[in-house]
Each structure stands twice: as structure tokens, then as C-alpha cells.
Amino acid sequence: MWTRSLCLAALFVVSLPCVAQITPSLTADEIMARVAANTDRDDDARAHYVYVQHTQMISSSGKSVMCEETTDARVTPGTHGSEQQMLKLDGRRRDGKRYIAYTEPLKDKPHGADIDGPPDRDLTKEARKQRRKDGLRNDEDEDLDQQLVEHVRKNLTNEKSKDGLHAGLFPLTGKAQPGYNFALKGRERRNGHDTFHIVFTPREKSHYDWRGDAWIDTEAFQPVVVQTALAHNIPFAVRALLGTSIPGLGFTATYAPQPDGVWFPATFGTEFKLNVLFFFHRSIALSVENRDFEKTHTASRIVADSDLPEPLPTTPGEK
């Protein structure tokens, strides 16, 4: 009996080097180098797709919703970014104790055409006090929360990006990776994929950049889930000088492949607080879903007038 057990143990020990040779372990840096190569490659391939981006955006003060928007936009990636065509917008913003509905973004409205209700001088003392409590300090601030919602949405979803996510929010590209340290925490099952769990932090501790976790598909070496937060809070001296604080800023993004193997962000979400000038306090929540992908035969390209070729010279009498 003992002889058989010893033989089995010896066989197990001898077989370990063979298993290691068949499935060699990878370091966190090696894993992330493959991720960088794949994500950089897919960035060019995304120019062959158009898709619909569905977003829900809320600005709230305490328990009161100040502005809420739901939008659908068709996204056409180009060489250096994306063009968005608004398909649908349903919004409402608070004005005192009532809500005003709207279906167009502010930039499409002529100046002065969106003022609802009486000006401050015609309001009662109680109404003016309520407006100050709601963060509305004068007539021009009636659409302040709508401005905030639209500004945040555009900056987080369509800033030099082909995938519907601000380029600066994804810290795992080849260009960004040299600024980070990576550590392999283990292997986990996430969203139906076997993944490497990678923890990343800024290489320079003084930099106000992202830290977080990334779950990387073990076969495709593509991100499945990425969760981030600011590596450091805004310094107290800056908050005291500018009166600005953004506690809790971070995001979660999930990714999924298209039939041809190109990976896109499938969902994106963030929720944080915004404190400005000691009197304006808002909670911001954004939820994004990319869907209805269509692959084109040729890469989409946004062409400016300055990029158009010069017209060919004509001979006299030729039209």
C-alpha cells in the first residue's frame, strides 16, 4: 500500500514540470502588453462599424432630481474620433417645484428661447428662496443642470473616441501603459469569460491618474471588465482655492466581442459628486449602452472642408 502511494506521489511530482512547460505562467506585464497590442489594433478596426449609443444621465441635489436625460445617438467612427447623430432625446429639468420637459439639446435652441416662468423680480420672496435652495441663482441658471448633463455626457462618451468611451478613461492602451504598474491577483470567471484579474496603479505616486482592476480574457487578451477610481483625491489646497471637489469619481466598463472578433465597450457607468464654489452640489449618474452594431464594407471617415482635394484645373471653354 505504501509502495503504491509513493509511486503515485513520485509520478505526480515528476509530471509537474511537464504541465508547466505546456501552460507557462505569464506575468502581469506580459499579459498587459498583449492587451495593449490587441486594443490598439481594434481601435483601427472600430472605424468599420456604426452603432447606437443609448445613455441615461441624471443630475440630482440631495433627493431631488434636477435634470434627467435619455438619449439615443447613432455613432459613426472616423479616423480620429466619432460623429454622433442624435436620434432621440427625452429630458426634463426642474424649475422650482415643477419639471419642464424638452426633446432637443440646448445647443440647437436659439438664445433666449428656452426661458420658462417669470423672472426673479416677479417671484415672491418664498419662491426666490426656493430657487436659491435648488441652486438656481438667477434667470440665466434655469438651464444650468441641463448644461451640466449635456456637457458631462459629451465629454465622457465622445472625446476623440471610436468606441463611445472617452479616450482618457481607458488607461490600458499601449500609449498609457508605461505610466502604470500592474500586478496579477489571480484568475476569475467574469461575464462568462475566464479572466486574469489585474490590479493597476500609477507608476508615479504624485500623479492624479486612475487606479483600479481589470479582468482580462485569458484567450483573447482583451478587457472583459474594467473598474477605476482616481488614484488620489484632489488636494485640499486646490479644493480650498477653487472650491471644486469631485469625490468618488470613477467608472465601470464591460466589453464584448463582435462576430469578427473586434471588441467594443458594451456598457459604461459612473456615479460621482460634484461640488463647485461651495454652493453648487450635485450627484451625477451616467449609464451608457452601445448596441445595434453594423459593420460597413469600408472604413467611415469624417472629412472636413480643408481635407477635400483641390479641384482640377480646366481649360478655357471646359465646364
Side-chain angles (χ1 to χ4, degrees), residues 210-229:
W210 301 111
R211 61 176 171 82
D213 300 79
W215 286 265
I216 308 300
D217 187 278
T218 58
E219 295 184 2
F221 290 91
Q222 294 275 9
V224 176
V225 180
V226 177
Q227 294 178 342
T228 72

Side-chain angles (χ1 to χ4, degrees), residues 225-293:
V225 180
V226 177
Q227 294 178 342
T228 72
L230 280 180
H232 307 284
N233 290 327
I234 297 175
F236 175 77
V238 175
R239 298 201 307 268
L241 178 64
L242 302 180
T244 301
S245 177
I246 314 176
L249 180 60
F251 70 88
T252 299
T254 67
Y255 294 75
Q258 295 300 307
D260 62 353
V262 177
W263 288 62
F264 267 90
T267 64
F268 165 71
T270 183
E271 188 169 352
F272 59 93
K273 295 184 182 296
L274 179 64
N275 304 318
V276 181
L277 298 178
F278 307 105
F279 66 82
F280 186 83
H281 307 283
R282 292 293 186 268
S283 295
I284 306 297
L286 171 65
S287 175
V288 178
E289 179 187 3
N290 291 335
R291 61 194 187 191
D292 300 337
F293 289 90

